[in-house]
Amino acid sequence: MNQLDEKIRTHFPDESVYKIPERYSIFSGKNLPSFIKDWLIRKFTDEQGNLDTHGLLIFLEEHIPHKNSDIKNRVRTYGEEVTILTRFIVEIDILKNALRFSIPDLSIKANEGRIPDYVAKRHKELREGEIWGVITLVYIPPEGKEKGAIELVNFKPFKPYDVDVDYFRTVRKEFSLTEWIDVLIRSMEYNPDGFDSFTQKLLFISRLLIFVEPNLNMIELAPKGTGKSYIFGNISKYGWLISGGTVTRAKLFYDVSRKSMGLITNYDCISMDEIETIRFADENELQGALKNYLESGVFTVAHTRGTSLAGLMLLGNIPLSNHNQPVHQKYFTNLPQFFQSSALLDRFHGFIEGWKLKRIHEDLTIKGYTLNVEYFSEILHSLRSISDYSLIASELMAVPQNADKRDTKAVTKLASGYLKLLFPHVKSPEDISKEDFENFCLKPALEKRGIVRKQIALIDGEFSEDLPDIHIKS
């Protein structure tokens, strides 16, 4: 172990995990996100760091379903009561006044799964959308006009940590800035020693901004193999990754026929991966709703008005030259036609130049102590609701009177996000040097908003590529 391993283990004794790539091969054949794997490794590791492989294998066999599991048959045919840790999807059936669930990995469809009212009323977490938790299933045979169904009779949400954000913020003081950035990268499941430079590390952790800053909208274009899909699909259960398919206004915002809210109200951030392959239905309606939402966090569909703090992340590929630079000067030409509107693009706050990051090779594989992904995701989620950082950023920045409001908003939100990630211990402007805020919060924020500005100017002559002169107050 090196010094950083010791520091992480000392200051996060219950929240850290020692990661050895070989250990995680035990999950081969199991479609599990990182926050579940880390929790299981921690659960079956003793104080000396020894993994109880046999115990973990038994737990996986008994309580983690896989596609070939006979759980559905055991519940239906043999009348067993089965308790499992799994991902399931909750749906509201308005027409039949029922709450239903499906488990895709077990081929249990929504018309086969039922959640009794007494369970739904006891657990407010049973909202529409994807949920991870420990559930107990039983089979209820048909009776009268009522069809048979698999019922979810008990539920415990997967939330193993009661997060103490104040402790996390205080402990940050025990690490230097370079150490802390390495802690963040380790917690994203990568090896900080595999990066080429400090600048590259700072760019890499920019992918965490939408997890900590509410209503932040970002775009990242990068070649394949730079790990963007993995980050947005595995780091947090509070994020939702859309990969291909068709996006509708009903799916994203509100379904009029089912009278149910869409993805945007159920998650901290929505990421659209392989954006060039995604299709958009009823484009005019969806684009109008999206413009309003990205501007204000509010949407209106039919007579229903909704609000959310979720941000939107667009992830796409970009062709590069032999010199590892974009082939085309206009980056946004790689986005679908749906996103070619300058008015829509102007509502995105920042752009990540993913081609400046390394392809994922073995030297980026994490080995050592890191924060448990589940704990880390809860911390990121908790930091979203702390408004101190935005106020501190605003107090440290001098903004010209004639500055465009969208530019000011974008730079403030990005700077606030960097404060949360890099300097979470800061509780007032006096707690951070102006030099640190300028170099690690304000400058990266201006750079990322500046790229959006320049790219919009290239496709629409009515826009200027110049940002307002936002700088540190003297």
Side-chain angles (χ1 to χ4, degrees), residues 122-141:
R122 200 163 60 206
H123 300 286
K124 293 182 179 180
E125 300 94 339
L126 287 169
R127 50 173 173 70
E128 276 202 299
E130 181 183 274
I131 299 173
W132 276 91
V134 178
I135 59 175
T136 300
L137 305 176
V138 300
Y139 178 68
I140 306 297

Side-chain angles (χ1 to χ4, degrees), residues 80-123:
E80 291 186 38
E81 182 178 289
V82 177
T83 299
I84 54 176
L85 169 60
T86 189
R87 169 184 73 103
F88 61 101
I89 300 169
V90 176
E91 299 179 22
I92 297 174
D93 188 339
I94 293 293
L95 296 178
K96 296 186 178 179
N97 189 29
L99 193 62
R100 303 199 172 276
F101 74 94
S102 61
I103 306 179
D105 291 342
L106 295 180
S107 300
I108 296 177
K109 304 178 182 66
N111 60 356
E112 300 171 328
R114 187 170 62 208
I115 302 176
D117 284 345
Y118 73 88
V119 176
K121 290 176 181 177
R122 200 163 60 206
H123 300 286

Side-chain angles (χ1 to χ4, degrees), residues 81-365:
E81 182 178 289
V82 177
T83 299
I84 54 176
L85 169 60
T86 189
R87 169 184 73 103
F88 61 101
I89 300 169
V90 176
E91 299 179 22
I92 297 174
D93 188 339
I94 293 293
L95 296 178
K96 296 186 178 179
N97 189 29
L99 193 62
R100 303 199 172 276
F101 74 94
S102 61
I103 306 179
D105 291 342
L106 295 180
S107 300
I108 296 177
K109 304 178 182 66
N111 60 356
E112 300 171 328
R114 187 170 62 208
I115 302 176
D117 284 345
Y118 73 88
V119 176
K121 290 176 181 177
R122 200 163 60 206
H123 300 286
K124 293 182 179 180
E125 300 94 339
L126 287 169
R127 50 173 173 70
E128 276 202 299
E130 181 183 274
I131 299 173
W132 276 91
V134 178
I135 59 175
T136 300
L137 305 176
V138 300
Y139 178 68
I140 306 297
E143 183 178 351
K145 294 182 179 180
E146 194 72 33
K147 295 181 179 180
I150 295 175
E151 282 199 349
L152 191 158
V153 295
N154 202 4
F155 167 69
K156 183 180 180 181
F158 182 78
K159 192 172 182 180
Y161 292 101
D162 291 322
V163 173
D164 185 345
V165 182
D166 288 335
Y167 175 78
F168 176 85
R169 296 176 72 179
T170 301
V171 165
R172 162 63 180 90
K173 300 174 186 176
E174 305 298 326
F175 296 81
S176 68
L177 178 60
T178 53
E179 286 177 332
W180 188 250
I181 287 175
D182 285 356
V183 170
L184 294 177
I185 292 174
R186 284 188 178 205
S187 301
M188 296 167 76
E189 299 199 291
Y190 290 91
N191 176 20
D193 295 335
F195 287 82
D196 295 334
S197 65
F198 181 84
T199 302
Q200 198 175 65
K201 290 181 181 182
L202 195 60
L203 181 63
F204 188 73
I205 66 167
S206 299
R207 288 174 169 174
L208 295 176
L209 288 167
I210 65 163
F211 291 102
V212 296
E213 186 66 22
N215 293 120
L216 183 67
N217 310 309
M218 302 279 289
I219 302 171
E220 178 179 347
L221 298 181
K224 294 179 180 180
T226 54
K228 55 185 184 298
S229 302
Y230 186 83
I231 293 296
F232 296 101
N234 286 273
I235 288 297
S236 174
K237 64 177 179 284
Y238 296 106
W240 183 270
L241 184 69
I242 300 174
S243 299
T246 301
V247 173
T248 64
R249 187 176 66 171
K251 180 178 181 179
L252 204 57
F253 293 109
Y254 181 76
D255 190 323
V256 176
S257 62
R258 294 174 57 222
K259 297 183 179 178
S260 61
M261 290 293 181
L263 293 171
I264 210 85
T265 62
N266 291 328
Y267 296 94
D268 286 352
C269 51
I270 306 295
S271 303
M272 295 185 181
D273 194 20
E274 303 285 349
I275 187 66
E276 57 273 11
T277 68
I278 293 177
R279 299 186 301 277
F280 299 90
D282 301 319
E283 290 195 4
N284 291 335
E285 288 184 351
L286 179 56
Q287 196 175 74
L290 198 56
K291 280 181 183 177
N292 291 335
Y293 177 75
L294 296 182
E295 181 74 22
S296 61
V298 177
F299 62 89
T300 303
V301 178
H303 299 294
T304 299
R305 183 178 185 272
T307 62
S308 174
L309 297 177
L312 182 64
M313 185 81 185
L314 303 185
L315 301 168
N317 298 315
I318 187 169
L320 301 179
S321 68
N322 294 333
H323 303 291
N324 204 42
Q325 292 298 312
V327 172
H328 306 293
Q329 184 185 15
K330 299 179 180 180
Y331 304 159
F332 292 156
T333 57
N334 295 285
L335 298 175
Q337 187 61 39
F338 180 86
F339 284 105
Q340 294 298 319
S341 162
S342 56
L344 182 58
L345 290 168
D346 195 28
R347 287 159 166 82
F348 283 86
H349 303 115
F351 183 94
I352 296 175
E353 299 170 297
W355 58 88
K356 293 183 177 180
L357 296 171
K358 291 183 65 171
R359 284 183 61 83
I360 305 303
H361 294 139
E362 285 300 318
D363 62 342
L364 286 175
T365 302

